[in-house]
Amino acid sequence: MIDRRTFSKAVGIGTGAAAASLTGLQGLPTASAATQDVRKTPPTVPVVSPGTRASFASIKQIKAGLLNVGYAEMGPAHGPVVICLHGWPYDIHSFVDVAPLLAAEGYRVIVPYLRGHGTTRFVSSRTFRNAQQSAIALDIIALMDALHIENAVLAGFDWGSRTADIIAALWPARVKALVSVSGYLITNLEANKQPLPPKAEYAWWYQYYFATERGRLAMQDKAKRHDLARLIWDTVSPTWDFDDATFERTAAAFDNPDYADIVIHNYRWRLSLADGERRYDRFERQLAARPVIEVPTITLDPERDPFTAPGNGSAYRDRFTGKYDHRTLTGIGHNLPQEAPTAFAQAVVDVDAF
């Protein structure tokens, strides 16, 4: 999930005009402020209820770098591109309602399974099952190259936010604009070595569980990882009334043969309990310096996510130096795109108009 250093970050410095026009809907911003330097008036995204759609019509596959990537695609083939990036323990279904909303606005929407998830596979059995942050970001660069996408709006949450933030920071020419749930999530390994207050650490129980052999074995056991993921869904999205079928559609993505190795390595690497690969060292050195993000950005914070504390977003506001807006979504938990698809899609079209 989100970087542990962001647990105590503040949220909420206003919303854009388009989002404000949707006031009264669950999960839309609680405050409003004018967005400066807007080049065009963005359309108002139609309101849909979460769970309007069950699945994507089809999944495509493409060789991209180290991976054969599985991805869903919607919208016109030559439309402006939006790439939606999921987190853990989630999959592409987090965007099952968002994608058609954006497609209807003329966007070509790409929703890939991250490494270790769904139908995405490593090309070689010899490739180290690495889940450090820069490796995942380079997966998306490779996917863009394979699909001949020069740049795109990147929009994500959890692992997806971190991945989008990294690409925006290190390869800004590839990012037209950014929607990042929970703000600036680039991991600083040295900072992560420092303890948080006990109440903050409590929410990260699974991260420490994965640091143990017991946790690794649990992730390798299909039934235990299924139940662990369901527990996390229930915990971090306390107001989301999803049904069993919704969870099971995503849980199918956990049957990927590399899933356990990827998840365990990701969380152990963040705690400096697992090594990355030297090929990524130069990128990690750049990320350790906390580079600013200059592309137009909207950050979203879900009010009911236990990793989001009330506040004004000041803890990471200085990392975004371009056109910027911040929105807090009331009554919404960690899986923000699936819980509040209209608000998420609206953020995408709004940031594209900056």
Side-chain angles (χ1 to χ4, degrees), residues 134-337:
S134 58
I136 299 175
L138 283 164
D139 289 344
I140 303 306
I141 294 290
L143 175 64
M144 293 175 71
D145 289 344
L147 293 173
H148 306 291
I149 296 170
E150 181 178 354
N151 62 24
V153 177
L154 299 187
F157 77 108
D158 196 90
W159 290 21
S161 289
R162 180 174 298 105
T163 301
D165 288 352
I166 290 168
I167 298 172
L170 298 188
W171 298 280
R174 307 304 297 268
V175 183
K176 184 180 181 184
L178 172 69
V179 174
S180 182
V181 176
S182 303
Y184 189 86
L185 296 186
I186 295 174
T187 297
N188 183 311
L189 292 181
E190 286 303 311
N192 261 12
K193 293 177 181 178
Q194 298 302 313
L196 295 171
K199 185 176 181 180
E201 299 282 18
Y202 174 75
W204 293 103
W205 66 270
Y206 62 89
Q207 187 166 229
Y208 305 118
Y209 184 45
F210 293 158
T212 70
E213 181 64 9
R214 287 162 61 99
R216 187 185 70 81
L217 292 174
M219 287 304 294
Q220 290 182 334
D221 183 297
K222 180 175 180 178
K224 288 184 173 62
R225 70 174 177 246
H226 173 280
D227 293 349
L228 185 150
R230 179 60 188 254
L231 174 61
I232 290 174
W233 275 43
D234 291 336
T235 302
V236 303
S237 294
T239 59
W240 183 27
D241 187 24
F242 62 91
D243 58 18
D244 291 343
T246 297
F247 175 75
E248 296 302 333
R249 281 189 287 271
T250 287
F254 309 158
D255 292 337
N256 184 297
D258 300 307
Y259 184 78
D261 288 343
I262 289 298
V263 172
I264 293 298
H265 185 265
N266 180 281
Y267 288 104
R268 290 185 178 184
W269 178 84
R270 287 200 230 171
L271 293 176
S272 297
L273 299 175
D275 293 331
E277 293 179 272
R278 293 187 63 183
R279 71 169 91 180
Y280 302 112
D281 284 353
R282 65 190 178 104
F283 303 118
E284 297 299 346
R285 285 193 294 270
Q286 291 176 275
L287 296 172
R290 299 186 74 238
V292 298
I293 292 173
E294 299 177 348
V295 306
T297 299
I298 291 178
T299 55
L300 303 174
D301 276 333
E303 179 204 28
R304 295 303 304 274
D305 184 350
F307 305 104
T308 299
N312 62 9
S314 61
Y316 56 72
R317 175 63 183 91
D318 67 337
R319 296 298 87 196
F320 299 95
T321 60
K323 298 173 184 178
Y324 179 80
D325 192 16
H326 175 84
R327 304 173 182 182
T328 298
L329 305 192
T330 60
I332 298 301
H334 189 71
N335 187 5
L336 189 153

